[in-house]
Amino acid sequence: DQQVKQNSPSLSVQEGRISILNCDYTNSMFDYFLWYKKYPAEGPTFLISISSIKDKNEDGRFTVFLNKSAKHLSLHIVPSQPGDSAVYFCAASGSGGSNYKLTFGKGTLLTVNP
Amino acid sequence: DTEVTQTPKHLVMGMTNKKSLKCEQHMGHRAMYWYKQKAKKPPELMFVYSYEKLSINESVPSRFSPECPNSSLLNLHLHALQPEDSALYLCASSHPVRARGYEQYFGPGTRLTVT
């Protein structure tokens, strides 16, 4: 059972435009959400996170939105740059004993075209 | 400094070999992790150490043996691996303090090939 879903395997946008990456989750015990960026043959790089008590967190060009009632979060990148081309993973963690464990989605490949 | 280092970068080993992967962080993190990642898949958690004690073992075969000598170092000892164990092995670390979240910082990984 996939608890974190990224339903778009790939996304292509033009340089300078907005990139919107989506993520859905099913486990109500998740209370912390993270986005990672991964280049081929490298480890994932932490981008931005959001606690379930918030609905928005912004860091430079990156903004994460959380809709708890819909169990949905999204990552907005504005403006998109060619160097943003990578695989983006959504991840979630829960409270209590499972709070060390990140559950990852399958990733979305973002391609930003010059 | 949010750097996690891993050595070696690449490793090729036979099924009868014994080798070790090493991971180091100097961020003061007290939780460290081993993940395995296959191509086009998300990272899969293998082990979690919290305050140098093994807290999670995700039913990993005994041919993988983790070790945490101190709060900065994490090793993964490999013995009698199978070709299907070939993957990118990632180390990560995090603060185990709830108020700071559980952002895990990953190393660059070790690309392991078992022949």
Side-chain angles (χ1 to χ4, degrees):
Chain A
D1 177 31
Q2 203 180 336
Q3 299 185 68
V4 177
K5 301 177 186 178
Q6 293 177 257
N7 291 320
S8 298
S10 63
L11 174 68
S12 182
V13 299
Q14 285 301 119
E15 182 178 5
R17 305 294 291 268
I18 184 171
S19 296
I20 300 176
L21 298 110
N22 293 305
C23 179
D24 297 293
Y25 62 96
T26 57
N27 189 338
S28 301
M29 298 302 291
F30 288 146
D31 65 353
Y32 204 80
F33 304 90
L34 308 92
W35 284 95
Y36 286 86
K37 170 182 174 180
K38 188 178 184 304
Y39 295 117
E42 292 186 12
T45 301
F46 169 71
L47 275 177
I48 192 168
S49 61
I50 188 166
S51 164
S52 60
I53 62 173
K54 296 186 175 182
D55 55 17
K56 177 182 174 181
N57 188 25
E58 192 171 353
D59 185 0
R61 296 187 298 116
F62 302 93
T63 304
V64 57
F65 295 92
L66 175 63
N67 182 334
K68 277 187 68 177
S69 60
K71 294 191 176 68
H72 176 84
L73 62 155
S74 60
L75 175 68
H76 293 213
I77 307 174
V78 181
S80 301
Q81 300 172 352
D84 295 329
S85 298
V87 176
Y88 288 78
F89 288 102
C90 169
S93 70
S95 56
S98 63
N99 54 14
Y100 287 117
K101 184 172 180 176
L102 289 181
T103 301
F104 286 87
K106 292 189 174 182
T108 296
L109 174 62
L110 173 66
T111 303
V112 180
N113 301 303
Chain B
D1 180 13
T2 56
E3 188 178 24
V4 177
T5 59
Q6 289 187 246
T7 56
K9 193 171 174 65
H10 300 278
L11 178 63
V12 179
M13 61 185 289
M15 290 189 284
T16 58
N17 290 159
K18 283 186 182 180
K19 296 285 184 183
S20 297
L21 308 184
K22 296 186 184 302
C23 174
E24 190 167 3
Q25 59 88 14
H26 294 287
M27 295 178 277
H29 290 171
R30 301 308 299 271
M32 296 186 77
Y33 311 76
W34 280 114
Y35 286 85
K36 172 182 177 179
Q37 185 172 26
K38 293 275 206 178
K40 300 187 188 300
K41 299 281 190 182
E44 293 177 42
L45 182 66
M46 299 174 71
F47 301 104
V48 180
Y49 273 83
S50 175
Y51 293 94
E52 295 96 67
K53 288 186 171 29
L54 183 64
S55 62
I56 296 178
N57 176 340
E58 290 285 297
S59 303
V60 179
S62 60
R63 57 185 184 268
F64 295 92
S65 175
E67 179 196 18
C68 190
N70 60 55
S71 59
S72 301
L73 294 174
L74 186 67
N75 298 321
L76 185 63
H77 303 297
L78 314 172
H79 174 55
L81 295 194
Q82 304 296 311
E84 58 264 29
D85 296 321
S86 298
L88 182 68
Y89 286 84
L90 295 162
C91 174
S93 69
S94 73
H95 287 286
V97 176
R98 194 68 183 106
R100 300 191 55 174
Y102 287 107
E103 290 93 1
Q104 293 181 21
Y105 293 89
F106 286 82
T110 293
R111 173 67 60 188
L112 174 68
T113 304
V114 182
T115 60

Short mmCIF file of all heavy atoms in Angstrom, two decimals, chain B residues 1-33:
data_model
loop_
_atom_site.label_atom_id
_atom_site.label_comp_id
_atom_site.label_asym_id
_atom_site.label_seq_id
_atom_site.Cartn_x
_atom_site.Cartn_y
_atom_site.Cartn_z
N ASP B 1 27.15 23.88 8.09
CA ASP B 1 27.67 22.71 7.39
C ASP B 1 26.63 21.58 7.44
O ASP B 1 26.26 21.12 8.50
CB ASP B 1 28.97 22.27 8.05
CG ASP B 1 29.58 21.03 7.36
OD1 ASP B 1 29.12 20.69 6.25
OD2 ASP B 1 30.50 20.44 7.92
N THR B 2 26.13 21.21 6.27
CA THR B 2 25.13 20.14 6.22
C THR B 2 25.69 18.97 5.43
O THR B 2 25.00 18.36 4.63
CB THR B 2 23.84 20.65 5.56
OG1 THR B 2 24.16 21.17 4.28
CG2 THR B 2 23.18 21.69 6.42
N GLU B 3 26.97 18.64 5.66
CA GLU B 3 27.61 17.63 4.84
C GLU B 3 27.68 16.28 5.54
O GLU B 3 28.08 16.16 6.70
CB GLU B 3 29.01 18.06 4.44
CG GLU B 3 29.66 17.15 3.42
CD GLU B 3 31.04 17.61 3.00
OE1 GLU B 3 31.70 18.34 3.76
OE2 GLU B 3 31.48 17.23 1.91
N VAL B 4 27.27 15.28 4.79
CA VAL B 4 27.44 13.89 5.17
C VAL B 4 28.38 13.28 4.13
O VAL B 4 28.14 13.40 2.93
CB VAL B 4 26.11 13.13 5.19
CG1 VAL B 4 26.33 11.65 5.51
CG2 VAL B 4 25.14 13.75 6.18
N THR B 5 29.45 12.68 4.59
CA THR B 5 30.41 12.10 3.64
C THR B 5 30.33 10.57 3.69
O THR B 5 30.04 9.98 4.74
CB THR B 5 31.85 12.53 3.95
OG1 THR B 5 32.18 12.12 5.29
CG2 THR B 5 32.00 14.04 3.84
N GLN B 6 30.56 9.97 2.52
CA GLN B 6 30.53 8.52 2.41
C GLN B 6 31.72 8.04 1.61
O GLN B 6 32.09 8.65 0.60
CB GLN B 6 29.25 8.05 1.68
CG GLN B 6 27.99 8.21 2.50
CD GLN B 6 26.78 7.60 1.83
OE1 GLN B 6 25.86 8.30 1.44
NE2 GLN B 6 26.79 6.27 1.71
N THR B 7 32.30 6.94 2.07
CA THR B 7 33.38 6.29 1.32
C THR B 7 33.16 4.79 1.31
O THR B 7 32.60 4.23 2.27
CB THR B 7 34.75 6.59 1.96
OG1 THR B 7 34.72 6.19 3.33
CG2 THR B 7 35.12 8.06 1.83
N PRO B 8 33.56 4.11 0.22
CA PRO B 8 34.05 4.69 -1.03
C PRO B 8 32.90 5.21 -1.88
O PRO B 8 31.73 4.97 -1.57
CB PRO B 8 34.73 3.48 -1.70
CG PRO B 8 33.90 2.32 -1.25
CD PRO B 8 33.48 2.63 0.17
N LYS B 9 33.22 5.88 -2.96
CA LYS B 9 32.19 6.37 -3.87
C LYS B 9 31.65 5.22 -4.73
O LYS B 9 30.45 5.17 -5.03
CB LYS B 9 32.77 7.45 -4.77
CG LYS B 9 31.75 8.26 -5.53
CD LYS B 9 32.42 9.45 -6.22
CE LYS B 9 31.47 10.20 -7.12
NZ LYS B 9 30.38 10.84 -6.37
N HIS B 10 32.55 4.33 -5.12
CA HIS B 10 32.18 3.15 -5.91
C HIS B 10 32.82 1.93 -5.28
O HIS B 10 33.93 2.01 -4.75
CB HIS B 10 32.67 3.26 -7.36
CG HIS B 10 32.13 4.44 -8.10
ND1 HIS B 10 30.88 4.44 -8.70
CD2 HIS B 10 32.65 5.66 -8.34
CE1 HIS B 10 30.67 5.60 -9.28
NE2 HIS B 10 31.72 6.37 -9.07
N LEU B 11 32.14 0.79 -5.35
CA LEU B 11 32.69 -0.46 -4.82
C LEU B 11 32.19 -1.61 -5.67
O LEU B 11 30.99 -1.73 -5.91
CB LEU B 11 32.25 -0.65 -3.36
CG LEU B 11 32.70 -1.93 -2.67
CD1 LEU B 11 34.22 -1.99 -2.58
CD2 LEU B 11 32.10 -2.04 -1.27
N VAL B 12 33.14 -2.43 -6.13
CA VAL B 12 32.80 -3.66 -6.84
C VAL B 12 33.31 -4.81 -5.98
O VAL B 12 34.46 -4.82 -5.58
CB VAL B 12 33.45 -3.70 -8.23
CG1 VAL B 12 33.10 -5.02 -8.93
CG2 VAL B 12 33.01 -2.52 -9.08
N MET B 13 32.45 -5.75 -5.68
CA MET B 13 32.86 -6.87 -4.84
C MET B 13 32.25 -8.18 -5.32
O MET B 13 31.17 -8.19 -5.91
CB MET B 13 32.51 -6.62 -3.37
CG MET B 13 31.03 -6.45 -3.08
SD MET B 13 30.71 -6.01 -1.35
CE MET B 13 31.10 -7.54 -0.50
N GLY B 14 32.99 -9.26 -5.07
CA GLY B 14 32.48 -10.58 -5.40
C GLY B 14 31.59 -11.09 -4.29
O GLY B 14 31.53 -10.52 -3.19
N MET B 15 30.88 -12.15 -4.57
CA MET B 15 29.90 -12.66 -3.61
C MET B 15 30.54 -13.26 -2.37
O MET B 15 29.86 -13.45 -1.36
CB MET B 15 28.98 -13.68 -4.30
CG MET B 15 28.04 -13.02 -5.30
SD MET B 15 26.80 -14.15 -5.93
CE MET B 15 27.75 -15.09 -7.09
N THR B 16 31.84 -13.54 -2.41
CA THR B 16 32.50 -14.11 -1.22
C THR B 16 33.29 -13.07 -0.45
O THR B 16 33.88 -13.37 0.59
CB THR B 16 33.44 -15.26 -1.63
OG1 THR B 16 34.41 -14.75 -2.56
CG2 THR B 16 32.65 -16.39 -2.29
N ASN B 17 33.31 -11.84 -0.95
CA ASN B 17 34.12 -10.80 -0.30
C ASN B 17 33.45 -10.26 0.96
O ASN B 17 32.23 -10.39 1.15
CB ASN B 17 34.32 -9.61 -1.25
CG ASN B 17 35.23 -9.93 -2.42
OD1 ASN B 17 35.19 -9.26 -3.43
ND2 ASN B 17 36.06 -10.96 -2.28
N LYS B 18 34.29 -9.63 1.80
CA LYS B 18 33.80 -8.84 2.93
C LYS B 18 34.30 -7.42 2.73
O LYS B 18 35.51 -7.21 2.52
CB LYS B 18 34.38 -9.35 4.25
CG LYS B 18 33.76 -10.60 4.80
CD LYS B 18 34.33 -10.89 6.19
CE LYS B 18 33.77 -12.17 6.75
NZ LYS B 18 34.30 -12.47 8.10
N LYS B 19 33.40 -6.48 2.79
CA LYS B 19 33.77 -5.08 2.63
C LYS B 19 32.95 -4.24 3.60
O LYS B 19 31.95 -4.72 4.16
CB LYS B 19 33.49 -4.59 1.20
CG LYS B 19 34.31 -5.29 0.11
CD LYS B 19 35.74 -4.78 0.11
CE LYS B 19 36.51 -5.41 -1.05
NZ LYS B 19 37.93 -5.01 -1.04
N SER B 20 33.34 -2.97 3.75
CA SER B 20 32.58 -2.06 4.60
C SER B 20 32.36 -0.73 3.92
O SER B 20 33.24 -0.23 3.21
CB SER B 20 33.34 -1.82 5.92
OG SER B 20 33.47 -3.02 6.65
N LEU B 21 31.19 -0.15 4.16
CA LEU B 21 30.89 1.20 3.72
C LEU B 21 30.98 2.10 4.95
O LEU B 21 30.59 1.70 6.05
CB LEU B 21 29.48 1.28 3.13
CG LEU B 21 29.12 0.28 2.04
CD1 LEU B 21 27.71 0.59 1.51
CD2 LEU B 21 30.13 0.27 0.93
N LYS B 22 31.49 3.33 4.72
CA LYS B 22 31.66 4.24 5.85
C LYS B 22 30.90 5.54 5.61
O LYS B 22 30.78 6.01 4.47
CB LYS B 22 33.14 4.54 6.06
CG LYS B 22 33.94 3.31 6.45
CD LYS B 22 35.37 3.65 6.79
CE LYS B 22 36.18 2.40 7.08
NZ LYS B 22 35.61 1.59 8.18
N CYS B 23 30.44 6.12 6.71
CA CYS B 23 29.67 7.36 6.66
C CYS B 23 30.10 8.22 7.84
O CYS B 23 30.32 7.71 8.95
CB CYS B 23 28.19 7.05 6.74
SG CYS B 23 27.12 8.49 6.88
N GLU B 24 30.19 9.53 7.61
CA GLU B 24 30.62 10.44 8.67
C GLU B 24 29.84 11.74 8.58
O GLU B 24 29.59 12.24 7.48
CB GLU B 24 32.12 10.70 8.57
CG GLU B 24 32.71 11.43 9.76
CD GLU B 24 34.23 11.38 9.77
OE1 GLU B 24 34.85 10.84 8.84
OE2 GLU B 24 34.82 11.90 10.74
N GLN B 25 29.45 12.28 9.72
CA GLN B 25 28.82 13.60 9.77
C GLN B 25 29.33 14.34 11.00
O GLN B 25 29.61 13.72 12.03
CB GLN B 25 27.29 13.49 9.78
CG GLN B 25 26.69 12.69 10.93
CD GLN B 25 26.39 13.47 12.19
OE1 GLN B 25 26.38 14.70 12.20
NE2 GLN B 25 26.14 12.76 13.29
N HIS B 26 29.44 15.66 10.86
CA HIS B 26 29.91 16.49 11.97
C HIS B 26 28.93 17.61 12.24
O HIS B 26 29.32 18.74 12.52
CB HIS B 26 31.31 17.03 11.67
CG HIS B 26 32.35 15.96 11.61
ND1 HIS B 26 32.82 15.31 12.73
CD2 HIS B 26 32.98 15.40 10.55
CE1 HIS B 26 33.72 14.41 12.37
NE2 HIS B 26 33.83 14.43 11.06
N MET B 27 27.63 17.29 12.13
CA MET B 27 26.59 18.29 12.37
C MET B 27 26.00 18.16 13.76
O MET B 27 25.04 18.85 14.09
CB MET B 27 25.49 18.14 11.31
CG MET B 27 25.99 18.45 9.90
SD MET B 27 24.72 18.22 8.65
CE MET B 27 24.82 16.45 8.35
N GLY B 28 26.54 17.22 14.56
CA GLY B 28 25.98 17.01 15.89
C GLY B 28 24.70 16.23 15.89
O GLY B 28 23.98 16.20 16.89
N HIS B 29 24.38 15.63 14.75
CA HIS B 29 23.15 14.83 14.66
C HIS B 29 23.30 13.56 15.48
O HIS B 29 24.36 12.94 15.53
CB HIS B 29 22.85 14.48 13.20
CG HIS B 29 22.43 15.66 12.39
ND1 HIS B 29 22.28 15.59 11.01
CD2 HIS B 29 22.09 16.91 12.73
CE1 HIS B 29 21.88 16.76 10.56
NE2 HIS B 29 21.77 17.58 11.58
N ARG B 30 22.21 13.15 16.11
CA ARG B 30 22.27 11.95 16.95
C ARG B 30 21.45 10.81 16.37
O ARG B 30 21.27 9.78 17.03
CB ARG B 30 21.81 12.27 18.37
CG ARG B 30 22.64 13.34 19.05
CD ARG B 30 24.15 13.07 19.01
NE ARG B 30 24.52 11.85 19.69
CZ ARG B 30 24.82 11.81 20.99
NH1 ARG B 30 24.77 12.90 21.72
NH2 ARG B 30 25.18 10.65 21.53
N ALA B 31 20.93 10.97 15.17
CA ALA B 31 20.25 9.88 14.47
C ALA B 31 20.94 9.69 13.13
O ALA B 31 21.22 10.66 12.43
CB ALA B 31 18.77 10.19 14.26
N MET B 32 21.25 8.45 12.79
CA MET B 32 21.89 8.15 11.51
C MET B 32 21.20 6.96 10.87
O MET B 32 20.67 6.08 11.55
CB MET B 32 23.39 7.89 11.70
CG MET B 32 24.14 9.13 12.21
SD MET B 32 25.92 8.93 12.29
CE MET B 32 26.39 9.08 10.57
N TYR B 33 21.23 6.95 9.53
CA TYR B 33 20.39 6.02 8.77
C TYR B 33 21.19 5.40 7.62
O TYR B 33 22.05 6.05 7.04
CB TYR B 33 19.22 6.77 8.12
CG TYR B 33 18.44 7.68 9.03
CD1 TYR B 33 18.95 8.92 9.43
CD2 TYR B 33 17.17 7.33 9.47
CE1 TYR B 33 18.24 9.75 10.25
CE2 TYR B 33 16.44 8.17 10.30
CZ TYR B 33 16.99 9.37 10.68
OH TYR B 33 16.26 10.21 11.50
#
